[in-house]
Amino acid sequence: MAFRRSVRQWVERELTPHAVEWDRSGSFPREIFRQAGELGFLGTNHDPAYGGSGLDYWYVTAFTEELTRSRNAGVNMALLVQSQMATPIIGAIGTDEQKRSFLEPALRGERIAALGISEPSAGSDVAAMKTTARRQGDEFVVNGSKMWITNGTRADFVTLGARTGGEGHGGVSLFTFPTDVKGFSVSKKLDKVGNLSSDTAILYFEDCRIPARYLLGEENEGFYHIMTNFQGERLTAAIGAVAGMELMVADAIDFGRQREAFGRPILKFQVWRHKLVEHLTAIEAARRLTYHAVDLFERREDPVKEISMAKLFAGDLIQKVAYDCQQLYGGMGYIDETPIARAWRDARLLTIGGGTSEIMKEIISKLVGL
Ligand SMILES: Cc1cc2nc3c(=O)[nH]c(=O)nc-3n(C[C@H](O)[C@H](O)[C@H](O)COP(=O)(O)OP(=O)(O)OC[C@H]3O[C@@H](n4cnc5c(N)ncnc54)[C@H](O)[C@@H]3O)c2cc1C
């Protein structure tokens, strides 16, 4: 399809050539957000009234799949946080003002968005978050900190979870939080194992005053909205994992055809052909499960079980696929410039970020009545 082709052309022209350089510098130019916005890649499934294209989720799927060709998981994650993790909830429940001030410029790639849910002592256990937002007149005063926040060092706003009520999930609200507010600071840029070109930060809030109208949705209903929002995040993780695995195996096949040992191409050894065939089979299963979840998501049918299964299955599978593909490369698989070396390192995030594999199992357990 034409959309997929235009994403691929942009990715291969503007992103892929810089994959190693951006990982080494720990960042990528802000201009990339703007380019993606101008091309309509950030607003694919968003409301046309606020700068989106109003397309269905299969376009998001195509965008996410083609992004993997950048060979740089950090830039992919940053763009997906911008378009599919920090902003959909604003489109779904925001006021017209919130959509104009936060969503629209984010979809144009002019304002960088982050999603601020996790905290130093509350990751999986979202309902345990401690950051508070106390109402004072027509303002909220925010205090606390957020941890592991993607796009965190340069975000212009954060879609922020904070405690407005009592303990537990019933006391959490969401906000659109502009980062130019007094008392806000980036306390640290975190050094990570992978996804190196993406900035991940600890954010600090000290008596930050924001207008009460920046409350996103109803007060104390944030937990429910966060859980809804997680579905898109987990689905893009599964889609990206499947597309990433396909690239890994395709690269390994190319390498195995060319690299010789003991007088024959590596791929002629049955052990490698069988291993790759096993992976191709499992990847196909992961893809079918993921597409089934996309289909349910797109048709607004309850997709939570299937999305959790897709993230769990694809996130776990990519660990094995990356390991074996890297092994096939021998020493070249340990060299930073070889895409599989970086992909192996980056793939580790997929059982951790956006809800761990254990949390996916907990969700599925509940949904199947265990
Ligand atoms: C690179 C990166 C980017 C991220 N980006 C963002 C972002 O943009 N915004 C954001 O809000 N967050 C972000 N996160 C945070 C991420 O979502 C959390 O790290 C993740 O949800 C896990 O939380 P935790 O690290 O606190 O682990 P914990 O919750 O402390 O879990 C530690 C271990 O215990 C296990 N565990 C926890 N509960 C259970 C249970 N009930 N049963 C069995 N095992 C359990 C976990 O599975 C895990 O193995 C990011 C993280 C990383 C690493």
Side-chain angles (χ1 to χ4, degrees):
M1 88 174 131
F3 175 79
R4 184 182 284 280
R5 212 169 30 246
S6 64
V7 178
R8 186 175 297 191
Q9 281 167 358
W10 176 70
V11 167
E12 291 184 343
R13 192 182 59 240
E14 301 294 339
L15 308 186
T16 322
H18 303 286
V20 175
E21 169 201 335
W22 289 346
D23 266 1
R24 288 189 184 154
S25 67
S27 188
F28 64 90
R30 201 182 161 103
E31 168 63 17
I32 295 300
F33 285 101
R34 198 183 284 270
Q35 280 184 22
E38 269 170 17
L39 290 162
F41 298 156
L42 300 176
T44 37
N45 57 335
H46 287 268
D47 186 349
Y50 299 98
S53 306
L55 298 167
D56 67 33
Y57 202 81
W58 291 105
Y59 284 84
V60 178
T61 305
F63 176 61
T64 308
E65 289 175 345
E66 292 304 319
L67 266 186
T68 60
R69 292 174 179 273
S70 71
R71 314 291 185 154
N72 189 297
V75 73
N76 303 350
M77 182 166 73
L79 292 170
L80 289 168
V81 164
Q82 178 86 2
S83 58
Q84 299 300 328
M85 298 176 201
T87 46
I89 198 67
I90 306 175
I93 60 170
T95 59
D96 182 60
E97 186 199 354
Q98 284 174 315
K99 291 178 189 176
R100 300 251 171 252
S101 309
F102 298 98
L103 177 65
E104 236 180 58
L107 300 185
R108 282 198 302 266
E110 288 168 9
R111 294 188 86 186
I112 296 180
L115 178 66
I117 306 297
S118 307
E119 299 188 354
S121 59
S124 303
D125 190 2
V126 172
M129 71 170 64
K130 291 194 172 71
T131 297
T132 55
R134 297 288 171 226
R135 198 186 267 270
Q136 281 187 12
D138 55 3
E139 290 180 324
F140 278 96
V141 184
V142 182
N143 278 287
S145 76
K146 293 287 167 183
M147 177 89 176
W148 304 290
I149 305 306
T150 303
N151 294 344
T153 67
R154 55 184 174 175
D156 297 299
F157 72 91
V158 183
T159 303
L160 182 74
R163 186 161 299 286
T164 42
E167 283 186 10
H169 67 268
V172 172
S173 297
L174 275 179
F175 295 89
T176 43
F177 181 95
T179 54
D180 56 1
V181 164
K182 189 164 166 268
F184 171 82
S185 58
V186 175
S187 61
K188 190 175 182 206
K189 180 182 177 202
L190 296 161
D191 291 325
K192 305 190 295 301
V193 168
N195 281 34
L196 299 180
S197 67
S198 142
D199 58 308
T200 310
I202 304 178
L203 310 182
Y204 188 60
F205 306 80
E206 189 181 6
D207 291 329
C208 297
R209 292 181 170 273
I210 56 167
R213 62 180 196 282
Y214 285 172
L215 175 69
L216 189 51
E218 295 296 314
E219 194 167 336
N220 295 330
E221 285 188 8
F223 184 80
Y224 168 76
H225 297 309
I226 291 167
M227 292 302 132
T228 309
N229 198 57
F230 269 152
Q231 300 314 313
E233 174 169 0
R234 290 170 185 164
L235 193 49
T236 52
I239 297 164
V242 172
M245 287 189 278
E246 284 179 336
L247 275 183
M248 289 174 188
V249 173
D251 284 354
I253 290 172
D254 278 352
F255 185 84
R257 283 209 172 99
Q258 285 158 30
R259 180 76 178 174
E260 295 197 356
F262 301 95
R264 65 172 102 159
I266 301 281
L267 208 60
K268 290 287 175 203
F269 294 109
Q270 191 185 47
V271 63
W272 286 112
R273 281 186 287 110
H274 284 195
K275 213 176 266 284
L276 292 176
V277 165
E278 278 170 19
H279 286 328
L280 284 170
T281 308
I283 294 166
E284 186 60 22
R287 187 224 283 277
R288 295 291 144 200
L289 175 59
T290 304
Y291 278 7
H292 177 48
V294 170
D295 182 45
L296 293 175
F297 190 68
E298 172 56 24
R299 287 194 282 118
R300 309 275 187 282
E301 289 186 24
D302 182 6
V304 177
K305 185 180 79 183
E306 287 75 9
I307 288 178
S308 308
M309 285 177 165
K311 172 153 191 314
L312 171 65
F313 189 64
D316 281 353
L317 182 63
I318 199 170
Q319 310 307 322
K320 302 181 196 113
V321 173
Y323 180 94
D324 286 339
C325 289
Q326 185 183 35
Q327 184 71 16
L328 187 146
Y329 272 78
M332 284 314 290
Y334 209 67
I335 301 301
D336 195 47
E337 285 183 14
T338 311
I340 188 61
R342 303 194 304 279
W344 165 75
R345 186 179 70 192
D346 298 340
R348 195 63 194 84
L349 181 62
L350 283 156
T351 65
I352 299 172
T356 65
S357 287
E358 290 75 22
I359 294 303
M360 294 307 104
K361 288 176 198 171
E362 284 297 294
I363 294 169
I364 299 162
S365 293
K366 283 192 194 110
L367 291 172
V368 300
L370 294 178

